[in-house]
Amino acid sequence: MAAKRVVAVFGATGAQGGSVAAALLANGGYTVRAITRDTTKPAALKLKEAGAEVVCADLDNETNVESALTGADSAFVVTNFWEHFNKDKEIEQGKRIADVTKRLGLKHVVYSGLENVKKLTGGKLEVLHFDGKGEVEEYFRAIGVPMTSVRLPSYFENLLTFFRPTKASDGETYNLAIPMGDMLLDGMSVSDLGPVVVSVLKCPAKYIGKDIGLSTDKLLVAQYADIMSKATGKTIKDAKISLDAYRSLGFPGAQELGNMFEFYQMKPVRNVDLTLELNPKAKKFQEWMQQNKDAYKDL
Ligand SMILES: NC(=O)c1ccc[n+]([C@@H]2O[C@H](COP(=O)([O-])OP(=O)(O)OC[C@H]3O[C@@H](n4cnc5c(N)ncnc54)[C@H](OP(=O)(O)O)[C@@H]3O)[C@@H](O)[C@H]2O)c1
């Protein structure tokens, strides 16, 4: 029997990498090497119990990255801007992984990338957590690593946290404050990423060199609000907040997210048909909302 392909999964204790590790383990055809800085944390122990090799590595340490990738055939790579809010650091981490995958000759890297907005807009708009990933996409390609970029849309899960509706001044209804004007907002559940990545890894010849914009639904903010209202029984409305008002909200990252929504209003490519081809069970928003409505009981 042929040995199973070893797939190294960065961010395996988190949302994206966790979904990828789970899908690879469910497939059964891969040895999953789950990478974390803390092999004793509950998510790492769970991965071990589910059959993953759990290895300790810090993306800031090249020797660590090299030993985590030695012997791997392929890798899923995600870096977390929101841990440090530092574009240069995210670029360093991404380039460090790219260099090591090149040196070790990995056959396929699936990178969680995003557009280089600064470059696309000729410097008019900067979205730091996009621009850094865009530079890393370019770097992977420039040094000749066989790489597919998967560009995620806003996770539906953000509606449980950062974009959770808040009580309106009438004390009864709720506001969904997402500055999209009259434009459609792409979304998907991050839990549906894993099977997408497994499909991509199964067909390297088809997907190496491609940037795949993911989405399972394109909806107006008012449509998100309407689906949330029907599922929760509460009245949730599009707050119709402007980009500038959003940027002025003052929480850490408000400016950055305002800039991101400005870019989303420029309609980056997110392909629903391709996403559903790569993961036919990926949920539309209505289905996700039905499954998650209990999380809004205390709204
Ligand atoms: N939220 C969205 O809608 C959205 C959409 C598109 C793209 N993104 C991008 O997704 C990224 C975050 O991914 P996520 O949602 O999966 O995050 P997450 O759930 O917070 O998980 C972050 C993961 O990164 C790992 N990690 C962070 N720093 C590390 C380091 N120095 N060395 C090794 N591992 C490290 C963590 O591992 P340990 O802590 O176990 O070491 C953890 O597994 C961000 O860069 C964001 O821009 C998000």
Side-chain angles (χ1 to χ4, degrees), residues 110-123:
V110 181
Y111 172 60
S112 180
L114 286 169
E115 289 85 351
N116 185 342
V117 177
K118 186 175 179 187
K119 192 169 176 184
L120 285 174
T121 60

Side-chain angles (χ1 to χ4, degrees), residues 167-174:
K167 198 156 249 176
S169 51
D170 63 13
E172 281 173 26
T173 62
Y174 295 84

Side-chain angles (χ1 to χ4, degrees), residues 8 20 45 74 85 107 123 138 151 168 185 188-189 197 228 255:
V20 172
L45 297 175
S74 324
F85 288 63
K107 295 201 186 76
E138 290 157 20
R151 294 171 168 173
L185 176 68
M188 77 180 283
S189 170
V197 173
M228 294 180 86
Q255 171 81 30

